[in-house]
PDB file of all heavy atoms in Angstrom:
ATOM      1  N   ALA A  80      -4.038  22.585   4.577  1.00  0.00           N
ATOM      2  CA  ALA A  80      -3.827  21.089   4.747  1.00  0.00           C
ATOM      3  C   ALA A  80      -2.409  21.005   5.346  1.00  0.00           C
ATOM      4  O   ALA A  80      -1.439  21.758   4.899  1.00  0.00           O
ATOM      5  CB  ALA A  80      -3.778  20.374   3.376  1.00  0.00           C
ATOM      6  N   HIS A  81      -2.299  20.183   6.452  1.00  0.00           N
ATOM      7  CA  HIS A  81      -1.050  20.032   7.218  1.00  0.00           C
ATOM      8  C   HIS A  81      -0.882  18.697   7.665  1.00  0.00           C
ATOM      9  O   HIS A  81      -1.768  17.842   7.750  1.00  0.00           O
ATOM     10  CB  HIS A  81      -1.019  20.948   8.535  1.00  0.00           C
ATOM     11  CG  HIS A  81      -1.459  22.317   8.299  1.00  0.00           C
ATOM     12  ND1 HIS A  81      -2.717  22.880   8.479  1.00  0.00           N
ATOM     13  CD2 HIS A  81      -0.671  23.359   7.802  1.00  0.00           C
ATOM     14  CE1 HIS A  81      -2.737  24.183   8.210  1.00  0.00           C
ATOM     15  NE2 HIS A  81      -1.523  24.492   7.869  1.00  0.00           N
ATOM     16  N   VAL A  82       0.424  18.319   7.967  1.00  0.00           N
ATOM     17  CA  VAL A  82       0.724  17.184   8.873  1.00  0.00           C
ATOM     18  C   VAL A  82       0.804  17.659  10.307  1.00  0.00           C
ATOM     19  O   VAL A  82       1.505  18.728  10.537  1.00  0.00           O
ATOM     20  CB  VAL A  82       2.039  16.516   8.481  1.00  0.00           C
ATOM     21  CG1 VAL A  82       2.468  15.479   9.449  1.00  0.00           C
ATOM     22  CG2 VAL A  82       1.886  15.851   7.075  1.00  0.00           C
ATOM     23  N   HIS A  83       0.086  17.078  11.175  1.00  0.00           N
ATOM     24  CA  HIS A  83       0.053  17.415  12.665  1.00  0.00           C
ATOM     25  C   HIS A  83       0.703  16.297  13.417  1.00  0.00           C
ATOM     26  O   HIS A  83       0.685  15.125  12.971  1.00  0.00           O
ATOM     27  CB  HIS A  83      -1.347  17.672  13.138  1.00  0.00           C
ATOM     28  CG  HIS A  83      -2.068  18.829  12.544  1.00  0.00           C
ATOM     29  ND1 HIS A  83      -2.324  19.935  13.233  1.00  0.00           N
ATOM     30  CD2 HIS A  83      -2.585  19.009  11.229  1.00  0.00           C
ATOM     31  CE1 HIS A  83      -3.013  20.800  12.425  1.00  0.00           C
ATOM     32  NE2 HIS A  83      -3.172  20.292  11.205  1.00  0.00           N
ATOM     33  N   GLN A  84       0.980  16.554  14.598  1.00  0.00           N
ATOM     34  CA  GLN A  84       1.560  15.520  15.582  1.00  0.00           C
ATOM     35  C   GLN A  84       0.645  15.362  16.673  1.00  0.00           C
ATOM     36  O   GLN A  84       0.344  16.209  17.508  1.00  0.00           O
ATOM     37  CB  GLN A  84       2.858  15.890  16.166  1.00  0.00           C
ATOM     38  CG  GLN A  84       3.560  14.832  17.087  1.00  0.00           C
ATOM     39  CD  GLN A  84       4.893  15.222  17.503  1.00  0.00           C
ATOM     40  OE1 GLN A  84       5.699  15.928  16.912  1.00  0.00           O
ATOM     41  NE2 GLN A  84       5.300  14.751  18.787  1.00  0.00           N
ATOM     42  N   ASN A  85       0.019  14.155  16.806  1.00  0.00           N
ATOM     43  CA  ASN A  85      -0.642  13.582  18.060  1.00  0.00           C
ATOM     44  C   ASN A  85      -1.340  12.313  17.694  1.00  0.00           C
ATOM     45  O   ASN A  85      -1.470  11.944  16.537  1.00  0.00           O
ATOM     46  CB  ASN A  85      -1.786  14.608  18.597  1.00  0.00           C
ATOM     47  CG  ASN A  85      -1.693  14.539  20.060  1.00  0.00           C
ATOM     48  OD1 ASN A  85      -1.505  13.510  20.703  1.00  0.00           O
ATOM     49  ND2 ASN A  85      -2.093  15.648  20.741  1.00  0.00           N
ATOM     50  N   VAL A  86      -1.580  11.556  18.686  1.00  0.00           N
ATOM     51  CA  VAL A  86      -2.345  10.303  18.470  1.00  0.00           C
ATOM     52  C   VAL A  86      -3.753  10.448  18.078  1.00  0.00           C
ATOM     53  O   VAL A  86      -4.322  11.461  18.070  1.00  0.00           O
ATOM     54  CB  VAL A  86      -2.214   9.472  19.817  1.00  0.00           C
ATOM     55  CG1 VAL A  86      -0.706   9.193  20.225  1.00  0.00           C
ATOM     56  CG2 VAL A  86      -2.958  10.177  20.897  1.00  0.00           C
ATOM     57  N   ALA A  89      -6.894  12.945  19.435  1.00  0.00           N
ATOM     58  CA  ALA A  89      -6.356  14.071  20.036  1.00  0.00           C
ATOM     59  C   ALA A  89      -5.826  15.057  19.056  1.00  0.00           C
ATOM     60  O   ALA A  89      -5.245  14.559  18.070  1.00  0.00           O
ATOM     61  CB  ALA A  89      -5.300  13.743  21.075  1.00  0.00           C
ATOM     62  N   ASN A  90      -6.030  16.299  19.259  1.00  0.00           N
ATOM     63  CA  ASN A  90      -5.436  17.351  18.322  1.00  0.00           C
ATOM     64  C   ASN A  90      -4.065  17.659  18.668  1.00  0.00           C
ATOM     65  O   ASN A  90      -3.528  17.613  19.835  1.00  0.00           O
ATOM     66  CB  ASN A  90      -6.356  18.599  18.237  1.00  0.00           C
ATOM     67  CG  ASN A  90      -7.657  18.456  17.615  1.00  0.00           C
ATOM     68  OD1 ASN A  90      -7.845  17.417  16.897  1.00  0.00           O
ATOM     69  ND2 ASN A  90      -8.603  19.183  17.941  1.00  0.00           N
ATOM     70  N   GLY A  91      -3.237  18.083  17.749  1.00  0.00           N
ATOM     71  CA  GLY A  91      -1.820  18.453  17.957  1.00  0.00           C
ATOM     72  C   GLY A  91      -1.436  19.572  17.002  1.00  0.00           C
ATOM     73  O   GLY A  91      -2.155  19.913  16.049  1.00  0.00           O
ATOM     74  N   GLY A  92      -0.202  20.110  17.245  1.00  0.00           N
ATOM     75  CA  GLY A  92       0.357  21.184  16.500  1.00  0.00           C
ATOM     76  C   GLY A  92       0.786  20.754  15.037  1.00  0.00           C
ATOM     77  O   GLY A  92       1.002  19.633  14.813  1.00  0.00           O
ATOM     78  N   VAL A  93       0.929  21.731  14.184  1.00  0.00           N
ATOM     79  CA  VAL A  93       1.386  21.564  12.854  1.00  0.00           C
ATOM     80  C   VAL A  93       2.823  21.176  12.813  1.00  0.00           C
ATOM     81  O   VAL A  93       3.687  21.821  13.479  1.00  0.00           O
ATOM     82  CB  VAL A  93       1.044  22.803  11.990  1.00  0.00           C
ATOM     83  CG1 VAL A  93       1.710  22.628  10.603  1.00  0.00           C
ATOM     84  CG2 VAL A  93      -0.341  23.142  11.924  1.00  0.00           C
ATOM     85  N   VAL A  94       3.225  20.063  12.094  1.00  0.00           N
ATOM     86  CA  VAL A  94       4.587  19.709  11.786  1.00  0.00           C
ATOM     87  C   VAL A  94       5.071  20.350  10.579  1.00  0.00           C
ATOM     88  O   VAL A  94       6.252  20.865  10.554  1.00  0.00           O
ATOM     89  CB  VAL A  94       4.736  18.181  11.805  1.00  0.00           C
ATOM     90  CG1 VAL A  94       6.164  17.767  11.509  1.00  0.00           C
ATOM     91  CG2 VAL A  94       4.247  17.484  13.112  1.00  0.00           C
ATOM     92  N   PHE A  95       4.430  20.206   9.517  1.00  0.00           N
ATOM     93  CA  PHE A  95       4.627  21.001   8.315  1.00  0.00           C
ATOM     94  C   PHE A  95       3.441  21.064   7.409  1.00  0.00           C
ATOM     95  O   PHE A  95       2.529  20.274   7.536  1.00  0.00           O
ATOM     96  CB  PHE A  95       5.829  20.396   7.419  1.00  0.00           C
ATOM     97  CG  PHE A  95       5.646  18.913   6.991  1.00  0.00           C
ATOM     98  CD1 PHE A  95       5.000  18.607   5.915  1.00  0.00           C
ATOM     99  CD2 PHE A  95       6.146  17.885   7.825  1.00  0.00           C
ATOM    100  CE1 PHE A  95       4.827  17.306   5.425  1.00  0.00           C
ATOM    101  CE2 PHE A  95       5.986  16.544   7.428  1.00  0.00           C
ATOM    102  CZ  PHE A  95       5.317  16.216   6.210  1.00  0.00           C
ATOM    103  N   LEU A  97       1.230  21.323   3.772  1.00  0.00           N
ATOM    104  CA  LEU A  97       1.076  20.622   2.523  1.00  0.00           C
ATOM    105  C   LEU A  97       0.651  21.457   1.425  1.00  0.00           C
ATOM    106  O   LEU A  97      -0.151  22.343   1.640  1.00  0.00           O
ATOM    107  CB  LEU A  97       0.121  19.414   2.745  1.00  0.00           C
ATOM    108  CG  LEU A  97       0.446  18.379   3.845  1.00  0.00           C
ATOM    109  CD1 LEU A  97      -0.665  17.394   4.066  1.00  0.00           C
ATOM    110  CD2 LEU A  97       1.747  17.674   3.443  1.00  0.00           C
ATOM    111  N   GLY A 126       1.650   8.375  15.567  1.00  0.00           N
ATOM    112  CA  GLY A 126       1.312   9.592  16.302  1.00  0.00           C
ATOM    113  C   GLY A 126       1.354  10.856  15.509  1.00  0.00           C
ATOM    114  O   GLY A 126       1.701  11.993  16.000  1.00  0.00           O
ATOM    115  N   MET A 127       1.088  10.799  14.135  1.00  0.00           N
ATOM    116  CA  MET A 127       0.995  11.984  13.290  1.00  0.00           C
ATOM    117  C   MET A 127      -0.212  11.792  12.343  1.00  0.00           C
ATOM    118  O   MET A 127      -0.703  10.655  12.135  1.00  0.00           O
ATOM    119  CB  MET A 127       2.197  12.169  12.433  1.00  0.00           C
ATOM    120  CG  MET A 127       3.319  12.795  13.211  1.00  0.00           C
ATOM    121  SD  MET A 127       4.686  13.300  12.081  1.00  0.00           S
ATOM    122  CE  MET A 127       5.839  13.955  13.349  1.00  0.00           C
ATOM    123  N   TYR A 128      -0.779  12.912  11.951  1.00  0.00           N
ATOM    124  CA  TYR A 128      -1.973  12.769  11.056  1.00  0.00           C
ATOM    125  C   TYR A 128      -2.024  13.910  10.005  1.00  0.00           C
ATOM    126  O   TYR A 128      -1.412  14.900  10.126  1.00  0.00           O
ATOM    127  CB  TYR A 128      -3.241  12.825  11.809  1.00  0.00           C
ATOM    128  CG  TYR A 128      -3.558  13.996  12.712  1.00  0.00           C
ATOM    129  CD1 TYR A 128      -4.361  15.026  12.212  1.00  0.00           C
ATOM    130  CD2 TYR A 128      -2.999  14.186  14.037  1.00  0.00           C
ATOM    131  CE1 TYR A 128      -4.598  16.180  12.953  1.00  0.00           C
ATOM    132  CE2 TYR A 128      -3.300  15.260  14.758  1.00  0.00           C
ATOM    133  CZ  TYR A 128      -3.988  16.401  14.270  1.00  0.00           C
ATOM    134  OH  TYR A 128      -4.243  17.434  14.921  1.00  0.00           O
ATOM    135  N   VAL A 129      -2.744  13.613   8.897  1.00  0.00           N
ATOM    136  CA  VAL A 129      -2.981  14.593   7.840  1.00  0.00           C
ATOM    137  C   VAL A 129      -4.384  15.277   8.123  1.00  0.00           C
ATOM    138  O   VAL A 129      -5.358  14.520   8.468  1.00  0.00           O
ATOM    139  CB  VAL A 129      -3.002  13.989   6.446  1.00  0.00           C
ATOM    140  CG1 VAL A 129      -3.578  14.879   5.389  1.00  0.00           C
ATOM    141  CG2 VAL A 129      -1.520  13.605   6.080  1.00  0.00           C
ATOM    142  N   ASN A 130      -4.451  16.526   8.137  1.00  0.00           N
ATOM    143  CA  ASN A 130      -5.667  17.325   8.438  1.00  0.00           C
ATOM    144  C   ASN A 130      -6.058  18.143   7.242  1.00  0.00           C
ATOM    145  O   ASN A 130      -5.223  18.970   6.750  1.00  0.00           O
ATOM    146  CB  ASN A 130      -5.459  18.122   9.722  1.00  0.00           C
ATOM    147  CG  ASN A 130      -6.783  18.513  10.319  1.00  0.00           C
ATOM    148  OD1 ASN A 130      -7.861  17.905  10.097  1.00  0.00           O
ATOM    149  ND2 ASN A 130      -6.703  19.536  11.265  1.00  0.00           N
ATOM    150  N   ILE A 131      -7.162  18.046   6.606  1.00  0.00           N
ATOM    151  CA  ILE A 131      -7.664  18.875   5.623  1.00  0.00           C
ATOM    152  C   ILE A 131      -8.701  19.853   6.098  1.00  0.00           C
ATOM    153  O   ILE A 131      -9.865  19.508   6.608  1.00  0.00           O
ATOM    154  CB  ILE A 131      -8.353  18.055   4.473  1.00  0.00           C
ATOM    155  CG1 ILE A 131      -7.409  16.912   4.050  1.00  0.00           C
ATOM    156  CG2 ILE A 131      -8.696  19.004   3.333  1.00  0.00           C
ATOM    157  CD1 ILE A 131      -6.113  17.337   3.442  1.00  0.00           C
ATOM    158  N   HIS A 132      -8.361  21.159   6.240  1.00  0.00           N
ATOM    159  CA  HIS A 132      -9.200  22.183   6.675  1.00  0.00           C
ATOM    160  C   HIS A 132     -10.135  22.744   5.615  1.00  0.00           C
ATOM    161  O   HIS A 132      -9.757  22.681   4.445  1.00  0.00           O
ATOM    162  CB  HIS A 132      -8.389  23.349   7.266  1.00  0.00           C
ATOM    163  CG  HIS A 132      -7.346  22.911   8.352  1.00  0.00           C
ATOM    164  ND1 HIS A 132      -7.506  23.031   9.641  1.00  0.00           N
ATOM    165  CD2 HIS A 132      -6.137  22.271   8.109  1.00  0.00           C
ATOM    166  CE1 HIS A 132      -6.375  22.592  10.358  1.00  0.00           C
ATOM    167  NE2 HIS A 132      -5.638  22.059   9.370  1.00  0.00           N
ATOM    168  N   GLY A 138     -11.004  24.057  11.881  1.00  0.00           N
ATOM    169  CA  GLY A 138     -10.133  23.115  12.634  1.00  0.00           C
ATOM    170  C   GLY A 138      -9.821  21.872  11.925  1.00  0.00           C
ATOM    171  O   GLY A 138      -8.950  21.072  12.417  1.00  0.00           O
ATOM    172  N   GLY A 139     -10.477  21.647  10.783  1.00  0.00           N
ATOM    173  CA  GLY A 139     -10.270  20.343  10.030  1.00  0.00           C
ATOM    174  C   GLY A 139     -11.551  19.710   9.759  1.00  0.00           C
ATOM    175  O   GLY A 139     -12.254  19.295  10.713  1.00  0.00           O
ATOM    176  N   ARG A 142      -9.752  13.992   8.417  1.00  0.00           N
ATOM    177  CA  ARG A 142      -8.446  13.797   8.943  1.00  0.00           C
ATOM    178  C   ARG A 142      -8.143  12.259   8.844  1.00  0.00           C
ATOM    179  O   ARG A 142      -8.989  11.444   8.699  1.00  0.00           O
ATOM    180  CB  ARG A 142      -8.501  14.254  10.410  1.00  0.00           C
ATOM    181  CG  ARG A 142      -7.361  13.559  11.311  1.00  0.00           C
ATOM    182  CD  ARG A 142      -7.407  14.061  12.701  1.00  0.00           C
ATOM    183  NE  ARG A 142      -6.593  13.211  13.685  1.00  0.00           N
ATOM    184  CZ  ARG A 142      -6.344  13.554  14.893  1.00  0.00           C
ATOM    185  NH1 ARG A 142      -6.819  14.671  15.428  1.00  0.00           N
ATOM    186  NH2 ARG A 142      -5.572  12.780  15.613  1.00  0.00           N
ATOM    187  N   GLN A 144      -4.966   9.461  10.353  1.00  0.00           N
ATOM    188  CA  GLN A 144      -3.715   9.135  11.019  1.00  0.00           C
ATOM    189  C   GLN A 144      -2.716   8.528   9.891  1.00  0.00           C
ATOM    190  O   GLN A 144      -3.214   7.906   9.034  1.00  0.00           O
ATOM    191  CB  GLN A 144      -3.917   8.222  12.138  1.00  0.00           C
ATOM    192  CG  GLN A 144      -4.637   8.591  13.311  1.00  0.00           C
ATOM    193  CD  GLN A 144      -3.795   9.699  14.135  1.00  0.00           C
ATOM    194  OE1 GLN A 144      -4.399  10.804  14.336  1.00  0.00           O
ATOM    195  NE2 GLN A 144      -2.641   9.420  14.429  1.00  0.00           N
ATOM    196  N   ILE A 145      -1.448   8.903  10.083  1.00  0.00           N
ATOM    197  CA  ILE A 145      -0.442   8.348   9.255  1.00  0.00           C
ATOM    198  C   ILE A 145       0.079   7.079   9.871  1.00  0.00           C
ATOM    199  O   ILE A 145       0.742   7.054  10.917  1.00  0.00           O
ATOM    200  CB  ILE A 145       0.705   9.380   9.078  1.00  0.00           C
ATOM    201  CG1 ILE A 145       0.179  10.684   8.532  1.00  0.00           C
ATOM    202  CG2 ILE A 145       1.803   8.806   8.166  1.00  0.00           C
ATOM    203  CD1 ILE A 145       1.235  11.788   8.474  1.00  0.00           C
TER     204      ILE A 145
END
Side-chain angles (χ1 to χ4, degrees):
H81 309 99
V82 168
H83 297 249
Q84 180 179 334
N85 216 332
V86 296
N90 290 338
V93 172
V94 178
F95 58 87
L97 298 173
M127 286 191 178
Y128 61 95
V129 167
N130 201 17
I131 310 296
H132 307 258
R142 160 179 166 170
Q144 290 297 123
I145 303 173

